[in-house]
Amino acid sequence: MIQCEDHGLCISTAMEVADRICTEKRLKFTDLRKDMLRMIWDGHAPQKAYGLLSKLQVKNHSAKPATVYRSLDFLLENGFIHKVKSLNAFVGCSHPSKHDECYFLICDSCKEISECCDSNITSAIKATTKRNQFFVKNTTLEIAGHCNACSKRTE
Amino acid sequence: MIQCEDHGLCISTAMEVADRICTEKRLKFTDLRKDMLRMIWDGHAPQKAYGLLSKLQVKNHSAKPATVYRSLDFLLENGFIHKVKSLNAFVGCSHPSKHDECYFLICDSCKEISECCDSNITSAIKATTKRNQFFVKNTTLEIAGHCNACSKRTE
DNA sequence: GTTTATTTGTTATATTGTAACATCTGGTAT
DNA sequence: ATACCAGATGTTACAATATAACAAATAAAC
Ligand SMILES: [Zn+2]
Ligand SMILES: [Zn+2]
Ligand SMILES: [Zn+2]
Ligand SMILES: [Zn+2]
């Protein structure tokens, strides 16, 4: 699944956006948090917490689960990453501060995740919740299957 | 959130439907599996695996995590229950064999879950996945918030 | 009745996530 | 400057969720 032409650009953009938002919101974008965000942006596949811990421990021998989960909490709270609930894993957000919620396409084969935020889905969900008189706080939409590239590959 | 007028009826219907499907499909609806399904249908709130284990151990002193997870696997595979991924919990399916996927409304306050399967949402998702040339295997849609009853209560 | 497949029992362990308290660090007020 | 404070990180311990592997029991098929 070709997600990007130049993944170095994905990473640097994500880092810059996060840096800018942290400056604006007077948040501390510490080295640890930067390292975590960069590691999560290693690719477009979701990263697992204990995998991130292992990578982190290469640089930072004293890293512990709490180290990782606290950084993840920070990154989640500020919208720099998302938690993929069906995988218990974490993925970078392509456009933090643009919206709270993301819809995901998750390729079971190449593991890559892409966002598929779409206003038609949003309005269909809104209509349903309104009909049910339900007040939405948070929506999780995770669509698993095969991306185009992978489905061609297996044919 | 009033989900049902007579929850005894929810339970007995769910048990009968499961029983019928098992007969049709030549599946073994053992006592353990019946107990598990009944426990999951204790209410309309999701049940956690280790909570079910505790309840199970009252009757079956030798029950272990594997006991529970194997039964859950059976019930999931055959569509009698769903896993709520955002909660790591399990909820009974109101209409097994009608569809593979369910959309859920999850009240953070009273914890009750209702299904909100809706063809408009389905077609909006289908349009998006088609546009992305993505081949869907499984869709997770979990909408958290407050049900009407609970949101009135807190006003 | 013996074989076979499925289910359940049992033990052990892997994976994911938090709680609680100590220490450090960088900014604020006196 | 220095005492203070808040936020971040270190550290230890543990809770919660889930699976692997193999043995024993049970039910189905022959
Ligand atoms: Zn990229
Ligand atoms: Zn793929
Ligand atoms: Zn009911
Ligand atoms: Zn409610």
Side-chain angles (χ1 to χ4, degrees):
Chain A
M1 186 185 224
I2 295 162
Q3 291 262 5
C4 57
E5 304 290 319
D6 174 6
H7 190 61
L9 187 58
C10 294
I11 298 174
S12 59
T13 303
M15 297 305 295
E16 282 163 23
V17 170
D19 204 29
R20 182 174 53 69
I21 292 173
C22 285
T23 303
E24 282 169 14
K25 299 210 272 180
R26 310 271 188 280
L27 299 169
K28 291 175 189 168
F29 199 29
T30 62
D31 287 345
L32 172 62
R33 289 164 176 178
K34 284 178 184 170
D35 286 344
M36 286 290 297
L37 184 56
R38 237 187 308 265
M39 290 190 308
I40 291 166
W41 270 104
D42 182 53
H44 290 272
Q47 300 281 339
K48 310 223 79 181
Y50 278 72
L52 292 166
L53 176 57
S54 299
K55 291 185 186 175
L56 191 59
Q57 285 172 329
V58 174
K59 277 187 65 171
N60 180 350
H61 186 67
S62 73
K64 300 274 154 38
T67 317
V68 165
Y69 281 101
R70 277 193 296 225
S71 294
L72 290 173
D73 285 344
F74 173 84
L75 298 171
L76 286 167
E77 277 165 18
N78 295 291
F80 303 146
I81 64 172
H82 296 287
K83 178 166 188 177
V84 184
K85 286 161 189 167
S86 57
L87 301 175
N88 293 322
F90 303 86
V91 70
C93 178
S94 313
H95 37 247
S97 80
K98 289 287 193 312
H99 54 65
D100 289 338
E101 281 146 21
C102 276
Y103 310 144
F104 299 106
L105 299 176
I106 305 170
C107 179
D108 291 336
S109 179
C110 68
K111 310 302 175 192
E112 293 202 352
I113 292 192
S114 56
E115 299 188 8
C116 63
C117 309
D118 175 272
S119 60
N120 292 320
I121 295 176
T122 302
S123 57
I125 291 174
K126 196 165 284 177
T128 292
T129 54
K130 187 172 183 183
R131 182 163 32 78
N132 284 278
Q133 298 180 283
F134 191 87
F135 301 85
V136 178
K137 276 273 182 60
N138 181 268
T139 300
T140 299
L141 175 55
E142 297 174 6
I143 304 167
H146 291 290
C147 71
N148 190 38
C150 287
S151 57
K152 279 179 182 162
R153 202 169 298 138
T154 55
E155 271 167 19
Chain B
M1 187 186 223
I2 295 161
Q3 292 263 6
C4 58
E5 304 291 318
D6 175 4
H7 190 62
L9 186 59
C10 294
I11 298 175
S12 60
T13 302
M15 297 305 294
E16 282 163 22
V17 169
D19 205 28
R20 182 176 52 70
I21 292 173
C22 286
T23 304
E24 283 171 12
K25 299 210 271 178
R26 310 270 190 281
L27 299 169
K28 293 174 190 168
F29 200 29
T30 62
D31 287 346
L32 172 61
R33 291 163 173 178
K34 284 179 183 169
D35 286 344
M36 285 290 296
L37 185 56
R38 237 187 309 265
M39 289 192 307
I40 291 167
W41 271 102
D42 183 54
H44 290 272
Q47 299 281 338
K48 310 224 81 184
Y50 278 72
L52 293 166
L53 176 56
S54 298
K55 290 185 186 173
L56 191 59
Q57 285 172 330
V58 174
K59 278 187 66 174
N60 181 350
H61 185 67
S62 73
K64 299 275 156 37
T67 317
V68 165
Y69 280 101
R70 277 192 297 227
S71 294
L72 290 173
D73 285 343
F74 172 86
L75 298 172
L76 286 168
E77 276 165 16
N78 295 292
F80 303 145
I81 63 171
H82 296 287
K83 178 165 186 177
V84 184
K85 286 161 189 167
S86 57
L87 298 175
N88 294 321
F90 304 86
V91 69
C93 179
S94 316
H95 38 246
S97 79
K98 290 289 195 309
H99 56 65
D100 290 339
E101 282 146 19
C102 276
Y103 311 144
F104 300 106
L105 299 176
I106 306 171
C107 179
D108 292 335
S109 178
C110 67
K111 309 303 175 190
E112 293 203 353
I113 291 191
S114 56
E115 298 188 10
C116 63
C117 309
D118 175 272
S119 59
N120 291 320
I121 295 176
T122 302
S123 56
I125 290 173
K126 196 165 285 178
T128 292
T129 54
K130 187 174 184 183
R131 182 162 34 76
N132 285 277
Q133 298 179 283
F134 191 87
F135 301 86
V136 178
K137 277 274 181 60
N138 180 270
T139 299
T140 298
L141 175 55
E142 296 173 7
I143 303 166
H146 292 290
C147 72
N148 190 38
C150 287
S151 57
K152 279 180 182 159
R153 202 170 296 136
T154 54
E155 272 167 20

